[in-house]
Amino acid sequence: MSDDVAQGGGGAPSVSEVASAYVDGEVGADQAAWVAANRGSDADLAAELEAFTRVKALLGGLGTATPAAGGWDEIDAAVRSATAAESRRSLMARVSAVAAVAILVAAVAVGSVLVVGNSVPDPLPQATPAVLAPSSTRGGAARPDTGVVAAARGIGSVAERVGVTPRRPTTTSTTSTRPPLRNVAPPR
Amino acid sequence: MDQETTSVRPRVASGTARAADAARPAPAAVPRTWEDVARDYGPMLYGVAYRLTGNESDARDLVQDTLIKVNRSLHTFEPGSFSRWVYRILHNTFLDQVRRRQRIRMQSLPEDESRFDRAELAPDPEAALAQYRLDEEIQQAIDELPPDFKAAVVMCDVVGLGYQEIADQTGVAIGTVRSRIHRGRAQLRVRLAHLLEEDAR
């Protein structure tokens, strides 16, 4: 007999596999019919069915394993300890999260106070807010410049009012400002 | 979390009960705490854990880890079969442990006090001892199976789950389940040939 069940084709389960599934009642109608039709005449199939039925019976007849005396108390204590530790960790994580939020809120509040404190009696009204706030929040049309650019503008305008020309950045050059040496004869 | 002072000692099945019987608890209500789970499902969990691990110490660890995970995810349980949900956790925990340790360590037979206790308490000591030896031999054969085969065979023949349920719990195709059970049984058949022959006579 072929080792493949006839109706399955190339990828069909083997007779042995069908027999194993058959004892569990886990075969399709076709395979069940095939087993029923062949078990009386096919010695191999009959042997497989008998063997797997016995293996299943052996396993199903295993006794119930129970822990030794005190085993459940150990399990109880271990799980209780682990769950308590997890609860503590969870609580600490929540406390940490709340603390972090509180610190953040406090930092924002302090920052707001500084902004307000700087904006009221500011002797350099255009300079400082420009650094602290985006240009679009200072009224007027939104400008795409950054706080740094605005700050530079603010410094420039303050300098104009004070009457000082802002120093332009000095450029470094390798050329000397001294007049070139003439090709003169050395002194005698 | 509230710490209950009551023990979680489960409703223990009688000493003569079969593993498959213990594996099918039938409390209708969904337990609310891990203590409830331990009381209602403890025998099932331990019985299956023992068959999967093959020794008391690892079985206890497996039950502990399972109950810890149950406690962690009890609030995520959706209506359905609670015992299957618990068993799925047990199975996944077992495979995690196998992967972690690569090989569940073995424990020598005489240290397995629980099984001696059971033999001593049985009404017929000789029959109990014979049953004990038989169980132990079968257990040793189960222990030799690869973890995937072992889990499939235990779920099918010890717990009594159907192929589709096993496929759902293990996340593999039903054909794979069928193949694993077949190959696992085929190995057991060779390993336990002498018992099967005795049985046939």
Side-chain angles (χ1 to χ4, degrees), chain B residues 7-26:
Chain B
S7 168
V8 297
R9 191 182 297 276
R11 297 174 188 124
V12 181
S14 74
T16 55
R18 300 289 84 191
D21 299 330
R24 294 192 196 93

PDB file of all heavy atoms in Angstrom, chain B residues 7-26:
ATOM      1  N   SER B   7      -5.447  31.446  51.985  1.00  0.00           N
ATOM      2  CA  SER B   7      -4.547  30.678  51.133  1.00  0.00           C
ATOM      3  C   SER B   7      -5.174  30.478  49.762  1.00  0.00           C
ATOM      4  O   SER B   7      -6.386  30.505  49.615  1.00  0.00           O
ATOM      5  CB  SER B   7      -4.285  29.318  51.780  1.00  0.00           C
ATOM      6  OG  SER B   7      -3.657  28.477  50.863  1.00  0.00           O
ATOM      7  N   VAL B   8      -4.323  30.310  48.786  1.00  0.00           N
ATOM      8  CA  VAL B   8      -4.838  30.058  47.441  1.00  0.00           C
ATOM      9  C   VAL B   8      -4.895  28.567  47.157  1.00  0.00           C
ATOM     10  O   VAL B   8      -5.064  28.154  46.030  1.00  0.00           O
ATOM     11  CB  VAL B   8      -3.967  30.742  46.368  1.00  0.00           C
ATOM     12  CG1 VAL B   8      -3.994  32.230  46.546  1.00  0.00           C
ATOM     13  CG2 VAL B   8      -2.555  30.206  46.396  1.00  0.00           C
ATOM     14  N   ARG B   9      -4.716  27.771  48.207  1.00  0.00           N
ATOM     15  CA  ARG B   9      -4.727  26.321  48.017  1.00  0.00           C
ATOM     16  C   ARG B   9      -5.967  25.940  47.212  1.00  0.00           C
ATOM     17  O   ARG B   9      -7.080  26.262  47.560  1.00  0.00           O
ATOM     18  CB  ARG B   9      -4.778  25.627  49.379  1.00  0.00           C
ATOM     19  CG  ARG B   9      -4.525  24.137  49.311  1.00  0.00           C
ATOM     20  CD  ARG B   9      -4.642  23.570  50.705  1.00  0.00           C
ATOM     21  NE  ARG B   9      -3.638  24.131  51.590  1.00  0.00           N
ATOM     22  CZ  ARG B   9      -2.400  23.678  51.692  1.00  0.00           C
ATOM     23  NH1 ARG B   9      -2.010  22.676  50.942  1.00  0.00           N
ATOM     24  NH2 ARG B   9      -1.544  24.221  52.518  1.00  0.00           N
ATOM     25  N   PRO B  10      -5.743  25.296  46.089  1.00  0.00           N
ATOM     26  CA  PRO B  10      -6.867  25.016  45.201  1.00  0.00           C
ATOM     27  C   PRO B  10      -7.779  23.909  45.716  1.00  0.00           C
ATOM     28  O   PRO B  10      -7.434  23.200  46.659  1.00  0.00           O
ATOM     29  CB  PRO B  10      -6.176  24.599  43.914  1.00  0.00           C
ATOM     30  CG  PRO B  10      -4.897  24.040  44.349  1.00  0.00           C
ATOM     31  CD  PRO B  10      -4.491  24.771  45.579  1.00  0.00           C
ATOM     32  N   ARG B  11      -8.900  23.836  45.031  1.00  0.00           N
ATOM     33  CA  ARG B  11      -9.803  22.722  45.321  1.00  0.00           C
ATOM     34  C   ARG B  11      -9.171  21.490  44.692  1.00  0.00           C
ATOM     35  O   ARG B  11      -9.266  21.261  43.487  1.00  0.00           O
ATOM     36  CB  ARG B  11     -11.166  22.997  44.709  1.00  0.00           C
ATOM     37  CG  ARG B  11     -11.798  24.227  45.311  1.00  0.00           C
ATOM     38  CD  ARG B  11     -13.083  24.582  44.605  1.00  0.00           C
ATOM     39  NE  ARG B  11     -13.549  25.863  45.095  1.00  0.00           N
ATOM     40  CZ  ARG B  11     -13.791  26.900  44.307  1.00  0.00           C
ATOM     41  NH1 ARG B  11     -13.613  26.815  43.015  1.00  0.00           N
ATOM     42  NH2 ARG B  11     -14.223  28.025  44.823  1.00  0.00           N
ATOM     43  N   VAL B  12      -8.513  20.715  45.526  1.00  0.00           N
ATOM     44  CA  VAL B  12      -7.681  19.625  45.017  1.00  0.00           C
ATOM     45  C   VAL B  12      -8.537  18.444  44.586  1.00  0.00           C
ATOM     46  O   VAL B  12      -9.474  18.048  45.270  1.00  0.00           O
ATOM     47  CB  VAL B  12      -6.678  19.178  46.095  1.00  0.00           C
ATOM     48  CG1 VAL B  12      -5.787  18.060  45.578  1.00  0.00           C
ATOM     49  CG2 VAL B  12      -5.848  20.365  46.541  1.00  0.00           C
ATOM     50  N   ALA B  13      -8.169  17.907  43.451  1.00  0.00           N
ATOM     51  CA  ALA B  13      -8.866  16.718  42.972  1.00  0.00           C
ATOM     52  C   ALA B  13      -8.408  15.514  43.789  1.00  0.00           C
ATOM     53  O   ALA B  13      -7.361  15.537  44.410  1.00  0.00           O
ATOM     54  CB  ALA B  13      -8.529  16.509  41.498  1.00  0.00           C
ATOM     55  N   SER B  14      -9.185  14.490  43.792  1.00  0.00           N
ATOM     56  CA  SER B  14      -8.829  13.317  44.574  1.00  0.00           C
ATOM     57  C   SER B  14      -7.582  12.654  43.988  1.00  0.00           C
ATOM     58  O   SER B  14      -7.236  12.840  42.830  1.00  0.00           O
ATOM     59  CB  SER B  14      -9.979  12.310  44.555  1.00  0.00           C
ATOM     60  OG  SER B  14     -10.034  11.693  43.303  1.00  0.00           O
ATOM     61  N   GLY B  15      -6.919  11.871  44.820  1.00  0.00           N
ATOM     62  CA  GLY B  15      -5.660  11.259  44.412  1.00  0.00           C
ATOM     63  C   GLY B  15      -5.805  10.297  43.249  1.00  0.00           C
ATOM     64  O   GLY B  15      -4.842  10.021  42.560  1.00  0.00           O
ATOM     65  N   THR B  16      -6.982   9.774  43.043  1.00  0.00           N
ATOM     66  CA  THR B  16      -7.139   8.795  41.973  1.00  0.00           C
ATOM     67  C   THR B  16      -7.648   9.426  40.680  1.00  0.00           C
ATOM     68  O   THR B  16      -7.845   8.739  39.701  1.00  0.00           O
ATOM     69  CB  THR B  16      -8.149   7.708  42.396  1.00  0.00           C
ATOM     70  OG1 THR B  16      -9.363   8.356  42.778  1.00  0.00           O
ATOM     71  CG2 THR B  16      -7.624   6.884  43.550  1.00  0.00           C
ATOM     72  N   ALA B  17      -7.826  10.736  40.694  1.00  0.00           N
ATOM     73  CA  ALA B  17      -8.350  11.381  39.495  1.00  0.00           C
ATOM     74  C   ALA B  17      -7.338  11.299  38.367  1.00  0.00           C
ATOM     75  O   ALA B  17      -6.140  11.244  38.590  1.00  0.00           O
ATOM     76  CB  ALA B  17      -8.661  12.842  39.790  1.00  0.00           C
ATOM     77  N   ARG B  18      -7.823  11.291  37.151  1.00  0.00           N
ATOM     78  CA  ARG B  18      -6.942  11.290  35.987  1.00  0.00           C
ATOM     79  C   ARG B  18      -6.573  12.733  35.652  1.00  0.00           C
ATOM     80  O   ARG B  18      -7.302  13.659  35.949  1.00  0.00           O
ATOM     81  CB  ARG B  18      -7.644  10.651  34.785  1.00  0.00           C
ATOM     82  CG  ARG B  18      -8.071   9.214  35.003  1.00  0.00           C
ATOM     83  CD  ARG B  18      -6.887   8.259  35.056  1.00  0.00           C
ATOM     84  NE  ARG B  18      -6.291   8.211  36.387  1.00  0.00           N
ATOM     85  CZ  ARG B  18      -5.139   7.634  36.686  1.00  0.00           C
ATOM     86  NH1 ARG B  18      -4.416   7.085  35.748  1.00  0.00           N
ATOM     87  NH2 ARG B  18      -4.674   7.616  37.893  1.00  0.00           N
ATOM     88  N   ALA B  19      -5.429  12.850  34.998  1.00  0.00           N
ATOM     89  CA  ALA B  19      -4.960  14.188  34.645  1.00  0.00           C
ATOM     90  C   ALA B  19      -5.971  14.912  33.769  1.00  0.00           C
ATOM     91  O   ALA B  19      -6.200  16.102  33.917  1.00  0.00           O
ATOM     92  CB  ALA B  19      -3.625  14.090  33.921  1.00  0.00           C
ATOM     93  N   ALA B  20      -6.573  14.181  32.850  1.00  0.00           N
ATOM     94  CA  ALA B  20      -7.522  14.811  31.941  1.00  0.00           C
ATOM     95  C   ALA B  20      -8.732  15.361  32.691  1.00  0.00           C
ATOM     96  O   ALA B  20      -9.312  16.368  32.297  1.00  0.00           O
ATOM     97  CB  ALA B  20      -7.973  13.815  30.888  1.00  0.00           C
ATOM     98  N   ASP B  21      -9.114  14.714  33.803  1.00  0.00           N
ATOM     99  CA  ASP B  21     -10.253  15.205  34.576  1.00  0.00           C
ATOM    100  C   ASP B  21      -9.900  16.524  35.241  1.00  0.00           C
ATOM    101  O   ASP B  21     -10.680  17.469  35.261  1.00  0.00           O
ATOM    102  CB  ASP B  21     -10.664  14.184  35.642  1.00  0.00           C
ATOM    103  CG  ASP B  21     -11.082  12.865  35.002  1.00  0.00           C
ATOM    104  OD1 ASP B  21     -11.581  12.907  33.860  1.00  0.00           O
ATOM    105  OD2 ASP B  21     -10.900  11.813  35.645  1.00  0.00           O
ATOM    106  N   ALA B  22      -8.698  16.577  35.806  1.00  0.00           N
ATOM    107  CA  ALA B  22      -8.273  17.800  36.486  1.00  0.00           C
ATOM    108  C   ALA B  22      -8.099  18.942  35.508  1.00  0.00           C
ATOM    109  O   ALA B  22      -8.143  20.101  35.883  1.00  0.00           O
ATOM    110  CB  ALA B  22      -6.959  17.555  37.215  1.00  0.00           C
ATOM    111  N   ALA B  23      -7.893  18.597  34.260  1.00  0.00           N
ATOM    112  CA  ALA B  23      -7.636  19.635  33.264  1.00  0.00           C
ATOM    113  C   ALA B  23      -8.905  20.295  32.776  1.00  0.00           C
ATOM    114  O   ALA B  23      -8.853  21.183  31.955  1.00  0.00           O
ATOM    115  CB  ALA B  23      -6.889  19.036  32.080  1.00  0.00           C
ATOM    116  N   ARG B  24     -10.018  19.871  33.281  1.00  0.00           N
ATOM    117  CA  ARG B  24     -11.269  20.468  32.807  1.00  0.00           C
ATOM    118  C   ARG B  24     -12.100  21.013  33.962  1.00  0.00           C
ATOM    119  O   ARG B  24     -13.133  20.455  34.309  1.00  0.00           O
ATOM    120  CB  ARG B  24     -12.093  19.426  32.048  1.00  0.00           C
ATOM    121  CG  ARG B  24     -11.459  18.968  30.767  1.00  0.00           C
ATOM    122  CD  ARG B  24     -12.466  18.171  29.953  1.00  0.00           C
ATOM    123  NE  ARG B  24     -11.787  17.420  28.927  1.00  0.00           N
ATOM    124  CZ  ARG B  24     -11.385  16.160  29.071  1.00  0.00           C
ATOM    125  NH1 ARG B  24     -11.596  15.522  30.195  1.00  0.00           N
ATOM    126  NH2 ARG B  24     -10.780  15.539  28.082  1.00  0.00           N
ATOM    127  N   PRO B  25     -11.661  22.080  34.586  1.00  0.00           N
ATOM    128  CA  PRO B  25     -12.473  22.676  35.632  1.00  0.00           C
ATOM    129  C   PRO B  25     -13.669  23.374  34.981  1.00  0.00           C
ATOM    130  O   PRO B  25     -13.598  23.746  33.827  1.00  0.00           O
ATOM    131  CB  PRO B  25     -11.546  23.704  36.271  1.00  0.00           C
ATOM    132  CG  PRO B  25     -10.598  24.061  35.190  1.00  0.00           C
ATOM    133  CD  PRO B  25     -10.478  22.875  34.289  1.00  0.00           C
ATOM    134  N   ALA B  26     -14.717  23.514  35.720  1.00  0.00           N
ATOM    135  CA  ALA B  26     -15.889  24.111  35.088  1.00  0.00           C
ATOM    136  C   ALA B  26     -16.527  25.227  35.894  1.00  0.00           C
ATOM    137  O   ALA B  26     -17.740  25.328  35.954  1.00  0.00           O
ATOM    138  CB  ALA B  26     -16.919  23.014  34.814  1.00  0.00           C
TER     139      ALA B  26
END
